[in-house]
């Protein structure tokens, strides 16, 4: 089966509704930035790079669907849409990166008609989407030498084609290793509470023919101790300037257990996920989602007493000291991260 997390189709943003997978493959059409923001918030689309692309296309809807022909009115509507999209989810920096990039492009005073704004907005959103695919493949290529010919790999959450525009970051690495003939076996963390691992990563891996088993998040330590795990690879929602990394809740636990068991722990992330303006993990905003996501499995099966309180941070921060390396499209970055990320991002003096 071939699928697209997000597509622009004749002035409409079309997204695969990831809340319904794997049972149903349904595409929804969105025609306003408000709808796109709601789709991001409710996780129709999720995963840092996919959220960035969705925000860019959401903004492009403004000039595209304008009926007034009034360039000043469209510019004001773009400002409002930008604010609404920015408020959809706080942790993945790709959202803000994509909106900043769109804003910079559309600020050009030469774009003095709605038609010009429309063309520029769509071209920029397409560029963001297309670049993402190339970036993911470059990440996977850089990672190949780190993957043994026969490897058992733990993966957390979903970082595949669904979480990006296509191919994926951490899951793209597993996919490419398999495509290159390496004998990879994935242990797929189910990823409570939204089950991105069990629902989405398993769905993708079955299509790519990569052998895997879904495991409870709490089982990873057991498998590392008893089975011989070669490496862990996860994605990121935001990498701070010192290498501290925010990713799906449970990533920190996995990293600590990996260290205890001497298992290398890799973060795969495009440079669009590296936020040099955030000094450390303490400065990364962590999204708190509704408690019902914890007490009701997928909104359907209640597993806690009526009225039981629950906490639901969607992400955690893995301190840089637990990370073996950060794999980007520009190369593999090793500690000391503060220094080497600055070099990678072109912010170092030497
Ligand atoms: O809440 P989600 O499903 O958007 O969280 C996704 C993750 O944490 C991913 O690991 C991260 O965004 C990287 S996706 C390439």
């Amino acid at each position: 089966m071939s699928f697209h997390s997000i597509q622009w189709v004749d002035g409409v943003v079309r997204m695969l509704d990831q809340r319904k997978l794997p049972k149903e493959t349904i595409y929804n059409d969105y025609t306003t930035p408000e709808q796109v923001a709601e789709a991001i918030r409710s996780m129709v689309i999720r995963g840092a790079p996919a959220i960035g692309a969705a925000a860019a296309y959401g903004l492009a809807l403004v000039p595209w669907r304008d009926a007034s022909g009034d360039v000043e009115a469209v510019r004001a509507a773009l400002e409002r849409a930008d604010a609404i999209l920015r408020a959809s989810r706080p942790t993945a920096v790709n959202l803000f990166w994509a909106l900043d990039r769109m804003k910079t492009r559309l600020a050009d005073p030469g774009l003095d008609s709605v038609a010009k704004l429309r063309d520029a907005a769509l071209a920029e959103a397409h560029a963001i989407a297309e670049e993402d695919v190339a970036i993911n493949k470059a990440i996977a290529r850089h990672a190949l030498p780190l993957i043994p010919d026969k490897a058992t790999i733990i993966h957390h959450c979903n970082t595949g084609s669904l979480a990006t525009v296509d191919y994926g970051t951490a899951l793209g690495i597993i996919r490419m290793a398999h495509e290159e003939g390496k004998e990879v076996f994935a242990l797929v963390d189910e990823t409570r509470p939204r089950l991105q691992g069990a629902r989405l990563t398993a769905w993708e891996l079955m299509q790519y023919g990569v052998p895997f088993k879904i495991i409870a998040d709490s089982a990873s330590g057991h498998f590392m101790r008893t089975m011989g795990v070669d490496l862990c690879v996860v994605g990121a929602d935001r990498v701070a300037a010192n290498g501290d990394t925010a990713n799906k809740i449970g990533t920190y636990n996995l990293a600590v257990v990996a260290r205890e068991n001497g298992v290398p722990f890799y973060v795969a992330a495009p440079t669009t996920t590296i936020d040099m303006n955030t000094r450390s993990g303490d400065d990364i905003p962590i999204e708190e989602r509704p408690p019902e996501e914890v007490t009701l499995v997928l909104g359907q099966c209640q597993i806690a007493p009526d009225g039981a309180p629950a906490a639901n941070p969607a992400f955690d921060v893995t301190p840089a000291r637990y990370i073996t390396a950060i794999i980007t499209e520009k190369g593999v970055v090793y500690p000391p991260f503060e220094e080497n990320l600055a070099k990678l991002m072109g912010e170092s003096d030497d």
Side-chain angles (χ1 to χ4, degrees):
M1 181 195 289
S2 94
F3 60 89
H4 299 278
S5 60
I6 183 163
Q7 267 180 313
W8 177 271
V9 185
D10 298 333
V12 162
V13 180
R14 183 164 294 164
M15 297 189 227
L16 177 54
D17 192 339
Q18 300 192 26
R19 300 167 306 179
K20 303 263 167 44
L21 287 171
K23 278 195 174 159
E24 295 171 285
T25 310
I26 293 177
Y27 289 88
N28 303 331
D29 287 349
Y30 300 89
T31 55
T32 68
E34 289 81 3
Q35 290 171 356
V36 172
E38 179 54 24
I40 295 172
R41 196 203 55 73
S42 65
M43 297 173 70
V44 168
I45 191 157
R46 29 68 48 204
I51 290 171
Y57 281 126
L59 210 61
L61 285 170
V62 175
W64 196 263
R65 303 201 68 93
D66 172 68
S68 72
D70 176 346
V71 74
E72 288 317 315
V74 170
R75 286 198 175 280
L78 279 167
E79 286 292 328
R80 286 194 299 274
D82 177 85
I84 290 165
L85 287 160
R86 264 172 214 272
S88 56
R89 290 191 81 185
T91 305
V93 76
N94 301 61
L95 172 74
F96 309 99
W97 170 86
L99 288 169
D100 286 345
R101 179 166 157 176
M102 292 293 285
K103 214 169 185 171
T104 304
R105 176 68 190 97
L106 298 180
D108 178 355
L111 302 173
D112 55 5
S113 70
V114 176
K116 285 184 192 168
L117 273 175
R118 176 191 292 196
D119 290 348
L122 187 56
E124 200 65 16
H126 277 329
I128 287 170
E130 280 156 25
E131 286 167 24
D132 183 59
V133 184
I135 284 169
N136 290 339
K137 290 194 174 159
I139 289 173
R141 270 192 296 275
H142 284 300
L144 274 181
L146 304 172
I147 315 289
D149 288 339
K150 194 170 169 5
T152 298
I153 305 174
I154 297 188
H155 175 272
H156 193 65
C157 196
N158 172 267
T159 63
S161 294
L162 290 167
T164 58
V165 177
D166 201 1
Y167 210 76
T169 59
L171 203 63
I173 292 173
I174 294 174
R175 181 175 171 181
M176 192 177 278
H178 171 77
E179 285 166 357
E180 293 288 315
K182 297 197 186 215
E183 231 180 280
V184 289
F185 181 81
L187 289 172
V188 172
D189 276 355
E190 63 171 351
T191 317
R192 280 274 293 154
R194 296 285 299 234
L195 303 175
Q196 289 95 328
R199 293 190 303 111
L200 309 177
T201 298
W203 185 74
E204 284 197 46
L205 288 178
M206 286 179 96
Q207 294 177 62
Y208 309 145
V210 176
F212 71 92
K213 266 187 189 162
I214 299 166
I215 60 170
D217 300 335
S218 46
S220 49
H222 169 77
F223 284 108
M224 286 188 216
R225 203 178 62 77
T226 59
M227 177 179 175
V229 170
D230 296 285
L231 60 130
C232 300
V233 63
V234 300
D237 284 81
R238 195 185 296 224
V239 178
N242 69 347
D244 291 352
T245 294
N247 190 50
K248 180 52 55 195
I249 193 75
T251 302
Y252 175 35
N253 298 44
L254 183 63
V256 172
V257 177
R259 168 61 51 87
E260 167 68 15
N261 287 277
V263 174
F265 186 88
Y266 296 107
V267 169
T271 50
T272 51
T273 303
I274 298 170
D275 181 6
M276 298 304 283
N277 296 322
T278 296
R279 225 174 32 83
S280 82
D282 293 341
D283 303 319
I284 300 177
I286 299 295
E287 177 184 11
E288 183 72 27
R289 293 194 60 87
E292 294 74 31
E293 291 185 350
V294 173
T295 56
L296 277 173
V297 176
L298 300 180
Q300 283 160 15
C301 175
Q302 185 175 331
I303 54 168
D306 283 340
N312 187 15
F315 303 97
D316 58 25
V317 170
T318 299
R321 65 179 178 280
Y322 291 105
I323 299 171
T324 308
I326 300 172
I327 307 164
T328 78
E329 77 278 15
K330 294 187 183 170
V332 181
V333 185
Y334 290 93
F337 289 120
E338 187 130 22
E339 197 179 315
N340 291 339
L341 284 174
K343 274 188 203 150
L344 182 88
M345 301 300 279
E347 293 189 4
S348 132
D349 294 339
D350 45 74

